[in-house]
Amino acid sequence: MGFGFRVGVPGMSVRVSTRGVRTSIGPRAARLSVGTGGARVSSGLGPFYASSSLGGGRRRTSTRRTSRSRTVAPSAAQLDRARRQAERAQQEAQRDAAIAELRNLRRQTTSVHLQSFTAAHPPQIPEVPHLGLPWALAEARAFHLQGIGRLARAQRAAAKQRAEQEAPLYLAAETARLQAVREQLAGEAQQWWRALLSNDEATVCEAVNTAFSDNPAAGCAVGVDGPVLSVVMRHQDLDSLPTQTPGLTPSGRPTLKNLTQRDKILWWLTSMGSNVVATLKEAFATAPGMTAIDLAVLTRLPDTQRLGFVAYGRWTREAIETMPWREPEDALRFLDIGQDVACSVTTTASGNLSTSIKPLDTTRVPGLQDLLDHAQDEPDASLADLDVSLGGNTPSAGGSPVTDPYRIKSFAEWKQQAPAGPPALPPAPAVAPVTLIPGQTLVLPEEAWQGLRMAFSFAGADADLTLFLTGHDGHVAGDEDFVFYNQPSGADGAVRLLGKQPEGPHTIERATVHLTALPEHVRRVAIAINMDVDTGLTCGSLTHAVLRMDCTTAGAWTFQPPADPNVRAMVVAELYRHTVDGQPAWKLRAVGQGWAEGLDALARAHGVDVE
């Protein structure tokens, strides 16, 4: 089967060194000494003496003068020479930096094909979070004790009794609901995987375009014809390449020289081949059912500044996967291993590359010609926009945030759906929060033990909430006591991260801690924040950062962690067991202690094995 092209939907559119300046003081120095024998002058012609009497029998007084060295300023010529040396050194440093940058740029643009891509596999649906009876009982007690004063013992006893009766029902209902959610997700994942393997056009294009979204050269899957995928790739313009390249002077010194047109074409062609091969490798890895890919390369032509196709052809999975890709120069092999390959860069009779780029004739390939006819020359537009115009199904990055399918319904939500029982008392009015300062400690009211809510609000950068459930030694007993974004639950659900969501100009991440449901070995809960490791930012980038903790009726507390530009992770506060008047209690302390190395160092400090 020869090269063809299918568009799923028609109409798309770059020393300074310091040197000591030696000044010349002038001719040889003369020394003058005055004594009782007269004055003696030592010169470059040899010593001679001259004396004169200072009076008859009058006693002479001798005066000794101490010669002092005279500081001589550098001459104008010396200063000018030093200035020229400094300027020359600075120019050499700038030249060397430009040479290094150009070499790095060329290596990056011609080595994209050397990376490997993980083959697609069936989606793995995470297990349902484990929910325990202690967690359910704590949730039920917190609900039933709302609005009941501490001295109303009879009412509190009755409320606790109702909580004990309803907690197992709540636990069973949530467990069954979450298991049903997982089964539904597993079914949808299996159906998606079958569609991908059977080369369903919408499924394949969506999966491939999602994989292409972070590529240096924008690629877009536009159609499927059986086991053949059609892809269009937008390559960088020839005029975007630098005009200089590293070189050597006749004496062998590094220098910058003008990039010849032929060398420029070679760089551009190698870069195009590198991106073509990388695009093919990633597409084959993402779509297991594809055996061949028809790919066309679009760029802005130097002469007309209009879009045109400069390469196209068909490449099979076997040809791409069996070819050894080891060096940047291997990228040019894309011209040899494809079928029906056409390229704007040709080889002359003498074996040299052509010095111009002409658009390819696409009239014999209707799909390409139709694509070119409807293409819009927008320098800042990406091919993802083109896919949208084709009716592609790739979700936009600005869509609504993905919700947690395993979100736990609160006891109040379950209660509304459960059979009607005794009416619950309305929640008490909100309590004004108490603002804490670093080091401040307070005893938490007993009501807060039943269910303490946390909300970390921030802006300016991305951060995550992390909790460590530690023992007497300040270390976690195991990985299950390390609660973070990849493991949002601990202690059988007694500690749980509820996820992040935007609220106005801020982002808020919430969590709940049921202190009464914590196992006895947990003596302390460290509440920490850490910056996103991919950004390289520190806590100094956070603005409006506030940690708020509250319970329904007992009170609320807030603490503003310091915006320390030297740390990437910080323990903001801690909850710990204590004894007050002989009775067990829980205390809250504002901390604000940071770790410059980030989450890894913070986790190691709390006994987590991060290797």
Side-chain angles (χ1 to χ4, degrees):
M1 180 169 55
F3 173 78
F5 212 82
R6 168 178 165 79
V7 177
V9 180
M12 57 176 155
S13 16
V14 168
R15 128 184 84 147
V16 178
S17 63
T18 303
R19 298 176 180 267
V21 179
R22 292 179 295 178
T23 61
S24 175
I25 295 176
R28 294 179 58 185
R31 298 190 300 272
L32 173 64
S33 62
V34 179
T36 56
R40 178 179 178 178
V41 177
S42 176
S43 71
L45 300 177
F48 69 94
Y49 298 91
S51 62
S52 61
S53 176
L54 298 179
R58 181 180 295 178
R59 182 179 178 181
R60 297 179 180 177
T61 59
S62 64
T63 302
R64 176 177 300 171
R65 296 181 180 178
T66 304
S67 63
R68 297 181 179 178
S69 61
R70 182 163 56 99
T71 302
V72 181
S75 66
Q78 292 167 338
L79 290 175
D80 185 62
R81 184 165 58 250
R83 178 185 57 78
R84 291 196 303 271
Q85 290 174 345
E87 290 177 350
R88 184 165 57 252
Q90 182 177 8
Q91 293 171 356
E92 292 176 353
Q94 293 173 343
R95 177 208 61 200
D96 293 343
I99 290 175
E101 185 177 355
L102 285 171
R103 286 175 176 166
N104 185 55
L105 178 63
R106 187 156 190 164
R107 178 188 59 80
Q108 289 179 343
T109 56
T110 59
S111 302
V112 187
H113 64 287
L114 300 181
Q115 59 182 309
S116 58
F117 301 92
T118 304
H121 54 78
Q124 300 296 320
I125 306 302
E127 293 295 332
V128 172
H130 177 69
L131 302 178
L133 184 58
W135 163 81
L137 184 58
E139 286 276 353
R141 284 178 176 174
F143 175 82
H144 284 294
L145 290 173
Q146 293 179 28
I148 302 178
R150 299 187 62 181
L151 299 181
R153 297 181 179 179
Q155 296 182 28
R156 293 180 66 84
K160 291 180 180 179
Q161 184 178 3
R162 291 198 300 269
E164 292 174 358
Q165 295 173 352
E166 296 178 352
L169 301 176
Y170 171 51
L171 176 61
E174 276 302 282
T175 302
R177 185 185 66 83
L178 292 177
Q179 189 62 39
V181 170
R182 186 183 187 280
E183 292 176 0
Q184 180 182 355
L185 292 175
E188 294 175 353
Q190 187 176 8
Q191 182 179 0
W192 177 88
W193 180 248
R194 287 198 298 263
L196 185 68
L197 292 180
S198 63
N199 298 333
D200 175 73
E201 186 171 65
T203 304
V204 171
C205 288
E206 178 185 2
V208 172
N209 289 336
T210 301
F212 283 170
S213 62
D214 59 349
N215 289 1
C220 182
V222 296
V224 172
D225 185 9
V228 181
L229 176 67
S230 294
V231 174
V232 61
M233 189 189 87
R234 172 67 163 89
H235 188 48
Q236 68 183 109
D237 302 333
L238 180 66
D239 294 340
S240 67
L241 291 180
T243 59
Q244 291 184 309
T245 187
L248 295 175
T249 65
S251 61
R253 296 171 57 87
T255 187
L256 288 171
K257 64 179 183 180
N258 291 331
L259 185 65
T260 65
Q261 182 68 7
R262 184 166 281 113
D263 287 341
K264 193 173 185 178
I265 293 287
L266 177 60
W267 182 353
W268 180 84
L269 180 62
T270 307
S271 174
M272 180 175 69
S274 182
N275 283 282
V276 165
V277 174
T279 299
L280 294 169
K281 290 172 67 176
E282 188 169 22
F284 282 129
T286 305
M290 291 297 149
T291 60
I293 295 177
D294 291 336
L295 185 145
V297 182
L298 198 65
T299 192
R300 184 177 290 106
L301 300 170
D303 297 338
T304 63
Q305 293 299 304
R306 296 175 62 87
L307 291 177
F309 285 103
V310 291
Y312 61 77
R314 173 172 292 185
W315 289 265
T316 65
R317 178 185 294 272
E318 181 181 6
I320 294 299
E321 293 182 350
T322 58
M323 177 64 64
W325 307 102
R326 299 189 181 98
E327 301 295 335
E329 294 76 13
D330 294 340
L332 295 175
R333 295 183 179 179
F334 85 102
L335 296 169
D336 304 323
I337 63 175
Q339 302 172 5
D340 299 330
V341 177
C343 183
S344 294
V345 180
T346 59
T347 303
T348 64
S350 59
N352 296 321
L353 294 177
S354 58
T355 58
S356 62
I357 299 178
K358 302 296 183 182
L360 295 175
D361 182 12
T362 58
T363 55
R364 68 183 186 91
V365 187
L368 285 184
Q369 187 62 42
D370 183 66
L371 179 64
L372 185 60
D373 291 341
H374 294 86
Q376 298 180 4
D377 190 5
E378 298 179 358
D380 297 329
S382 68
L383 287 181
D385 302 325
L386 189 60
D387 184 43
V388 172
S389 67
L390 287 173
N393 296 319
T394 304
S396 63
S400 58
V402 179
T403 58
D404 181 10
Y406 291 156
R407 185 187 73 85
I408 307 298
K409 287 186 177 181
S410 67
F411 188 88
E413 291 178 284
W414 172 79
K415 191 70 174 173
Q416 290 177 352
Q417 300 173 1
L425 295 174
V431 181
V434 176
T435 301
L436 305 180
I437 62 175
Q440 184 174 350
T441 303
L442 56 86
V443 179
L444 285 174
E446 187 176 347
E447 287 83 349
W449 305 359
Q450 307 296 332
L452 188 62
R453 298 175 299 199
M454 301 180 190
F456 177 55
S457 174
F458 58 93
D462 192 20
D464 294 308
L465 200 59
T466 304
L467 294 93
F468 299 91
L469 314 183
T470 65
H472 288 287
D473 58 355
H475 289 177
V476 299
D479 291 344
E480 63 275 8
D481 292 337
F482 176 31
V483 181
F484 66 118
Y485 52 86
N486 276 339
Q487 183 173 271
S489 177
D492 290 336
V495 178
R496 185 177 296 278
L497 295 176
L498 304 179
K500 284 187 288 189
Q501 62 183 18
E503 293 189 9
H506 303 145
T507 300
I508 299 181
E509 183 170 11
R510 291 183 168 86
T512 58
V513 177
H514 296 285
L515 298 175
T516 56
L518 290 175
E520 190 62 27
H521 75 272
V522 176
R523 314 301 297 177
R524 172 177 171 264
V525 179
I527 306 165
I529 61 172
N530 57 274
M531 305 302 294
D532 188 338
V533 295
D534 295 331
T535 64
L537 300 177
T538 67
C539 293
S541 301
L542 294 176
T543 60
H544 306 93
V546 177
L547 176 67
R548 177 188 172 99
M549 289 170 283
D550 64 73
C551 59
T552 304
T553 60
W557 307 270
T558 63
F559 175 61
Q560 297 182 356
D564 191 337
N566 299 313
V567 301
R568 291 184 171 86
M570 179 187 303
V571 172
V572 180
E574 62 181 4
L575 307 166
Y576 61 97
R577 297 183 190 265
H578 200 67
T579 302
V580 177
D581 297 332
Q583 298 296 322
W586 280 91
K587 281 191 169 184
L588 166 64
R589 176 163 52 216
V591 183
Q593 177 185 0
W595 278 260
E597 295 84 1
L599 179 58
D600 285 354
L602 174 63
R604 284 193 295 268
H606 289 84
V608 179
D609 185 7
V610 297
E611 298 299 332

Short mmCIF file of all heavy atoms in Angstrom, two decimals, residues 492-538:
data_model
loop_
_atom_site.label_atom_id
_atom_site.label_comp_id
_atom_site.label_asym_id
_atom_site.label_seq_id
_atom_site.Cartn_x
_atom_site.Cartn_y
_atom_site.Cartn_z
N ASP A 492 -6.33 3.84 58.56
CA ASP A 492 -7.68 3.36 58.24
C ASP A 492 -8.66 4.49 58.00
O ASP A 492 -9.84 4.40 58.37
CB ASP A 492 -8.20 2.44 59.34
CG ASP A 492 -7.46 1.10 59.38
OD1 ASP A 492 -6.91 0.71 58.34
OD2 ASP A 492 -7.43 0.48 60.46
N GLY A 493 -8.20 5.56 57.38
CA GLY A 493 -9.08 6.67 57.04
C GLY A 493 -9.21 7.72 58.12
O GLY A 493 -9.92 8.71 57.93
N ALA A 494 -8.52 7.56 59.27
CA ALA A 494 -8.60 8.57 60.33
C ALA A 494 -7.95 9.87 59.91
O ALA A 494 -8.29 10.95 60.41
CB ALA A 494 -7.95 8.05 61.61
N VAL A 495 -6.99 9.79 59.00
CA VAL A 495 -6.33 10.96 58.44
C VAL A 495 -6.51 10.89 56.93
O VAL A 495 -6.21 9.86 56.31
CB VAL A 495 -4.84 11.01 58.81
CG1 VAL A 495 -4.18 12.22 58.16
CG2 VAL A 495 -4.66 11.05 60.31
N ARG A 496 -7.01 11.97 56.35
CA ARG A 496 -7.31 11.91 54.92
C ARG A 496 -7.13 13.28 54.27
O ARG A 496 -7.57 14.29 54.81
CB ARG A 496 -8.76 11.44 54.71
CG ARG A 496 -9.14 11.24 53.26
CD ARG A 496 -10.56 10.72 53.16
NE ARG A 496 -10.67 9.41 53.76
CZ ARG A 496 -10.35 8.27 53.15
NH1 ARG A 496 -9.89 8.32 51.90
NH2 ARG A 496 -10.48 7.12 53.74
N LEU A 497 -6.44 13.27 53.10
CA LEU A 497 -6.36 14.45 52.26
C LEU A 497 -7.57 14.45 51.33
O LEU A 497 -7.87 13.43 50.70
CB LEU A 497 -5.07 14.45 51.45
CG LEU A 497 -3.76 14.55 52.23
CD1 LEU A 497 -2.57 14.45 51.29
CD2 LEU A 497 -3.69 15.84 53.02
N LEU A 498 -8.23 15.58 51.22
CA LEU A 498 -9.46 15.67 50.43
C LEU A 498 -9.26 16.31 49.07
O LEU A 498 -10.23 16.49 48.33
CB LEU A 498 -10.51 16.45 51.23
CG LEU A 498 -10.83 15.88 52.62
CD1 LEU A 498 -11.86 16.73 53.33
CD2 LEU A 498 -11.28 14.43 52.53
N GLY A 499 -8.03 16.70 48.73
CA GLY A 499 -7.75 17.25 47.40
C GLY A 499 -7.71 18.76 47.38
O GLY A 499 -8.09 19.45 48.33
N LYS A 500 -7.23 19.29 46.24
CA LYS A 500 -7.10 20.73 46.03
C LYS A 500 -8.13 21.20 45.03
O LYS A 500 -8.50 20.47 44.12
CB LYS A 500 -5.68 21.08 45.50
CG LYS A 500 -4.60 21.05 46.53
CD LYS A 500 -3.30 21.55 45.98
CE LYS A 500 -2.67 20.58 45.02
NZ LYS A 500 -1.30 20.98 44.65
N GLN A 501 -8.54 22.44 45.22
CA GLN A 501 -9.44 23.05 44.25
C GLN A 501 -9.28 24.57 44.30
O GLN A 501 -9.01 25.13 45.37
CB GLN A 501 -10.88 22.65 44.51
CG GLN A 501 -11.43 23.09 45.86
CD GLN A 501 -12.86 22.59 46.07
OE1 GLN A 501 -13.31 21.67 45.41
NE2 GLN A 501 -13.55 23.21 47.00
N PRO A 502 -9.44 25.25 43.17
CA PRO A 502 -9.35 26.72 43.17
C PRO A 502 -10.60 27.34 43.76
O PRO A 502 -11.72 26.88 43.51
CB PRO A 502 -9.19 27.05 41.69
CG PRO A 502 -9.83 25.90 40.97
CD PRO A 502 -9.62 24.69 41.82
N GLU A 503 -10.40 28.39 44.54
CA GLU A 503 -11.51 29.18 45.08
C GLU A 503 -11.15 30.64 44.93
O GLU A 503 -10.37 31.19 45.72
CB GLU A 503 -11.79 28.82 46.54
CG GLU A 503 -12.34 27.41 46.72
CD GLU A 503 -12.82 27.13 48.13
OE1 GLU A 503 -12.88 28.11 48.93
OE2 GLU A 503 -13.14 25.97 48.44
N GLY A 504 -11.67 31.28 43.91
CA GLY A 504 -11.31 32.66 43.62
C GLY A 504 -9.86 32.74 43.19
O GLY A 504 -9.37 31.93 42.39
N PRO A 505 -9.09 33.69 43.73
CA PRO A 505 -7.68 33.82 43.35
C PRO A 505 -6.77 32.84 44.08
O PRO A 505 -5.57 32.82 43.83
CB PRO A 505 -7.35 35.27 43.76
CG PRO A 505 -8.27 35.54 44.91
CD PRO A 505 -9.54 34.79 44.62
N HIS A 506 -7.31 32.04 45.01
CA HIS A 506 -6.50 31.15 45.82
C HIS A 506 -6.77 29.69 45.47
O HIS A 506 -7.77 29.36 44.84
CB HIS A 506 -6.77 31.37 47.32
CG HIS A 506 -6.55 32.78 47.77
ND1 HIS A 506 -7.32 33.39 48.73
CD2 HIS A 506 -5.66 33.71 47.37
CE1 HIS A 506 -6.91 34.63 48.93
NE2 HIS A 506 -5.89 34.84 48.09
N THR A 507 -5.84 28.84 45.91
CA THR A 507 -6.03 27.39 45.85
C THR A 507 -6.13 26.88 47.28
O THR A 507 -5.37 27.32 48.16
CB THR A 507 -4.86 26.71 45.12
OG1 THR A 507 -4.79 27.22 43.79
CG2 THR A 507 -5.04 25.21 45.08
N ILE A 508 -7.05 25.97 47.53
CA ILE A 508 -7.26 25.44 48.88
C ILE A 508 -7.16 23.92 48.83
O ILE A 508 -7.82 23.27 48.01
CB ILE A 508 -8.62 25.86 49.46
CG1 ILE A 508 -8.69 27.39 49.56
CG2 ILE A 508 -8.85 25.23 50.82
CD1 ILE A 508 -9.99 27.90 50.14
N GLU A 509 -6.31 23.36 49.70
CA GLU A 509 -6.24 21.90 49.89
C GLU A 509 -6.75 21.58 51.28
O GLU A 509 -6.30 22.16 52.27
CB GLU A 509 -4.82 21.37 49.70
CG GLU A 509 -4.77 19.85 49.82
CD GLU A 509 -3.44 19.26 49.42
OE1 GLU A 509 -2.47 20.03 49.24
OE2 GLU A 509 -3.36 18.02 49.28
N ARG A 510 -7.69 20.64 51.34
CA ARG A 510 -8.35 20.31 52.60
C ARG A 510 -7.95 18.92 53.08
O ARG A 510 -7.57 18.05 52.29
CB ARG A 510 -9.86 20.42 52.46
CG ARG A 510 -10.35 21.85 52.27
CD ARG A 510 -11.86 21.93 52.20
NE ARG A 510 -12.32 23.31 52.29
CZ ARG A 510 -12.44 24.13 51.28
NH1 ARG A 510 -12.12 23.71 50.07
NH2 ARG A 510 -12.86 25.37 51.44
N ALA A 511 -8.10 18.72 54.40
CA ALA A 511 -7.81 17.44 55.02
C ALA A 511 -8.65 17.31 56.29
O ALA A 511 -9.15 18.31 56.83
CB ALA A 511 -6.33 17.31 55.35
N THR A 512 -8.84 16.09 56.75
CA THR A 512 -9.52 15.83 58.01
C THR A 512 -8.67 14.90 58.87
O THR A 512 -7.99 14.01 58.33
CB THR A 512 -10.90 15.19 57.79
OG1 THR A 512 -10.74 13.96 57.07
CG2 THR A 512 -11.82 16.12 57.02
N VAL A 513 -8.70 15.10 60.18
CA VAL A 513 -7.99 14.26 61.14
C VAL A 513 -8.95 13.93 62.27
O VAL A 513 -9.47 14.82 62.94
CB VAL A 513 -6.74 14.96 61.70
CG1 VAL A 513 -6.07 14.07 62.74
CG2 VAL A 513 -5.76 15.30 60.58
N HIS A 514 -9.21 12.65 62.45
CA HIS A 514 -10.02 12.18 63.58
C HIS A 514 -9.05 11.66 64.65
O HIS A 514 -8.58 10.52 64.59
CB HIS A 514 -10.98 11.09 63.13
CG HIS A 514 -11.99 11.57 62.12
ND1 HIS A 514 -13.07 12.35 62.46
CD2 HIS A 514 -12.06 11.39 60.78
CE1 HIS A 514 -13.78 12.62 61.38
NE2 HIS A 514 -13.18 12.06 60.34
N LEU A 515 -8.74 12.48 65.63
CA LEU A 515 -7.72 12.15 66.62
C LEU A 515 -8.13 10.93 67.45
O LEU A 515 -7.28 10.12 67.83
CB LEU A 515 -7.46 13.35 67.51
CG LEU A 515 -6.91 14.59 66.78
CD1 LEU A 515 -6.81 15.78 67.74
CD2 LEU A 515 -5.54 14.30 66.18
N THR A 516 -9.42 10.80 67.76
CA THR A 516 -9.85 9.66 68.58
C THR A 516 -9.73 8.34 67.84
O THR A 516 -9.72 7.28 68.47
CB THR A 516 -11.31 9.87 69.02
OG1 THR A 516 -12.13 10.06 67.86
CG2 THR A 516 -11.43 11.09 69.92
N ALA A 517 -9.66 8.39 66.52
CA ALA A 517 -9.56 7.15 65.74
C ALA A 517 -8.13 6.76 65.44
O ALA A 517 -7.90 5.71 64.81
CB ALA A 517 -10.34 7.30 64.42
N LEU A 518 -7.16 7.55 65.86
CA LEU A 518 -5.76 7.23 65.59
C LEU A 518 -5.31 6.07 66.47
O LEU A 518 -5.67 5.99 67.66
CB LEU A 518 -4.87 8.44 65.84
CG LEU A 518 -5.00 9.60 64.85
CD1 LEU A 518 -4.14 10.78 65.29
CD2 LEU A 518 -4.60 9.16 63.45
N PRO A 519 -4.54 5.15 65.93
CA PRO A 519 -4.00 4.05 66.76
C PRO A 519 -3.06 4.59 67.84
O PRO A 519 -2.52 5.69 67.73
CB PRO A 519 -3.27 3.17 65.75
CG PRO A 519 -3.01 4.03 64.57
CD PRO A 519 -4.12 5.03 64.52
N GLU A 520 -2.87 3.81 68.87
CA GLU A 520 -2.12 4.27 70.04
C GLU A 520 -0.66 4.59 69.72
O GLU A 520 -0.06 5.45 70.36
CB GLU A 520 -2.19 3.21 71.14
CG GLU A 520 -1.65 3.66 72.49
CD GLU A 520 -2.43 4.83 73.09
OE1 GLU A 520 -3.63 4.97 72.77
OE2 GLU A 520 -1.83 5.59 73.88
N HIS A 521 -0.10 3.93 68.72
CA HIS A 521 1.32 4.17 68.43
C HIS A 521 1.55 5.54 67.79
O HIS A 521 2.69 6.03 67.75
CB HIS A 521 1.88 3.07 67.52
CG HIS A 521 1.46 3.20 66.09
ND1 HIS A 521 0.29 2.64 65.59
CD2 HIS A 521 2.04 3.83 65.03
CE1 HIS A 521 0.18 2.91 64.31
NE2 HIS A 521 1.23 3.64 63.92
N VAL A 522 0.48 6.17 67.29
CA VAL A 522 0.63 7.51 66.72
C VAL A 522 0.57 8.53 67.85
O VAL A 522 -0.48 8.72 68.47
CB VAL A 522 -0.48 7.79 65.67
CG1 VAL A 522 -0.35 9.22 65.16
CG2 VAL A 522 -0.40 6.79 64.52
N ARG A 523 1.70 9.18 68.12
CA ARG A 523 1.79 10.14 69.21
C ARG A 523 1.78 11.58 68.71
O ARG A 523 1.58 12.51 69.49
CB ARG A 523 3.07 9.92 70.04
CG ARG A 523 3.34 8.50 70.42
CD ARG A 523 2.21 7.89 71.23
NE ARG A 523 2.02 8.57 72.51
CZ ARG A 523 1.07 8.28 73.39
NH1 ARG A 523 0.18 7.32 73.08
NH2 ARG A 523 0.96 8.94 74.52
N ARG A 524 2.01 11.76 67.40
CA ARG A 524 2.14 13.10 66.86
C ARG A 524 1.74 13.10 65.40
O ARG A 524 2.04 12.16 64.66
CB ARG A 524 3.59 13.59 67.02
CG ARG A 524 3.95 14.90 66.35
CD ARG A 524 5.40 15.24 66.67
NE ARG A 524 5.89 16.38 65.90
CZ ARG A 524 6.59 16.28 64.78
NH1 ARG A 524 6.86 15.07 64.28
NH2 ARG A 524 7.01 17.36 64.15
N VAL A 525 1.05 14.16 65.00
CA VAL A 525 0.70 14.36 63.60
C VAL A 525 1.37 15.65 63.13
O VAL A 525 1.03 16.74 63.60
CB VAL A 525 -0.82 14.45 63.40
CG1 VAL A 525 -1.15 14.69 61.93
CG2 VAL A 525 -1.52 13.18 63.90
N ALA A 526 2.36 15.51 62.26
CA ALA A 526 3.07 16.68 61.73
C ALA A 526 2.36 17.13 60.45
O ALA A 526 2.18 16.34 59.52
CB ALA A 526 4.53 16.36 61.44
N ILE A 527 1.94 18.39 60.43
CA ILE A 527 1.23 18.96 59.28
C ILE A 527 2.24 19.79 58.49
O ILE A 527 2.74 20.81 58.99
CB ILE A 527 0.05 19.82 59.75
CG1 ILE A 527 -0.85 19.01 60.69
CG2 ILE A 527 -0.74 20.35 58.57
CD1 ILE A 527 -1.82 19.86 61.48
N ALA A 528 2.56 19.36 57.29
CA ALA A 528 3.64 19.98 56.51
C ALA A 528 3.14 20.41 55.15
O ALA A 528 2.11 19.94 54.65
CB ALA A 528 4.81 19.02 56.36
N ILE A 529 3.87 21.32 54.54
CA ILE A 529 3.65 21.72 53.15
C ILE A 529 4.95 21.54 52.39
O ILE A 529 6.04 21.61 52.97
CB ILE A 529 3.16 23.18 53.03
CG1 ILE A 529 4.21 24.15 53.60
CG2 ILE A 529 1.82 23.37 53.71
CD1 ILE A 529 3.89 25.62 53.35
N ASN A 530 4.86 21.27 51.13
CA ASN A 530 6.04 21.16 50.28
C ASN A 530 5.74 21.71 48.91
O ASN A 530 4.61 21.60 48.41
CB ASN A 530 6.53 19.71 50.19
CG ASN A 530 5.47 18.77 49.68
OD1 ASN A 530 4.66 18.27 50.45
ND2 ASN A 530 5.46 18.52 48.37
N MET A 531 6.75 22.32 48.29
CA MET A 531 6.58 22.92 46.98
C MET A 531 6.64 21.86 45.90
O MET A 531 7.23 20.79 46.08
CB MET A 531 7.66 23.98 46.74
CG MET A 531 7.73 25.06 47.81
SD MET A 531 6.19 25.96 48.01
CE MET A 531 6.09 26.76 46.41
N ASP A 532 6.03 22.16 44.79
CA ASP A 532 6.08 21.27 43.64
C ASP A 532 7.52 21.14 43.16
O ASP A 532 8.17 22.12 42.80
CB ASP A 532 5.20 21.84 42.52
CG ASP A 532 5.03 20.88 41.36
OD1 ASP A 532 5.88 19.98 41.21
OD2 ASP A 532 4.05 21.01 40.62
N VAL A 533 8.05 19.90 43.15
CA VAL A 533 9.47 19.69 42.81
C VAL A 533 9.76 20.07 41.37
O VAL A 533 10.89 20.42 41.03
CB VAL A 533 9.87 18.22 43.06
CG1 VAL A 533 9.79 17.88 44.53
CG2 VAL A 533 8.98 17.27 42.26
N ASP A 534 8.77 20.04 40.50
CA ASP A 534 9.01 20.34 39.08
C ASP A 534 9.24 21.82 38.83
O ASP A 534 9.84 22.20 37.82
CB ASP A 534 7.84 19.85 38.23
CG ASP A 534 7.70 18.33 38.28
OD1 ASP A 534 8.74 17.67 38.45
OD2 ASP A 534 6.58 17.83 38.15
N THR A 535 8.77 22.69 39.72
CA THR A 535 8.90 24.12 39.49
C THR A 535 10.23 24.68 39.98
O THR A 535 10.68 25.70 39.49
CB THR A 535 7.76 24.87 40.19
OG1 THR A 535 7.87 24.68 41.63
CG2 THR A 535 6.40 24.35 39.73
N GLY A 536 10.89 24.03 40.99
CA GLY A 536 12.11 24.56 41.56
C GLY A 536 11.90 25.77 42.45
O GLY A 536 12.86 26.41 42.86
N LEU A 537 10.64 26.09 42.76
CA LEU A 537 10.35 27.26 43.58
C LEU A 537 10.47 26.94 45.07
O LEU A 537 10.46 25.77 45.47
CB LEU A 537 8.94 27.78 43.27
CG LEU A 537 8.70 28.22 41.83
CD1 LEU A 537 7.25 28.63 41.63
CD2 LEU A 537 9.63 29.36 41.44
N THR A 538 10.56 27.97 45.91
CA THR A 538 10.66 27.81 47.35
C THR A 538 9.40 28.35 48.01
O THR A 538 8.51 28.90 47.35
CB THR A 538 11.89 28.55 47.89
OG1 THR A 538 11.69 29.97 47.74
CG2 THR A 538 13.15 28.14 47.15
#
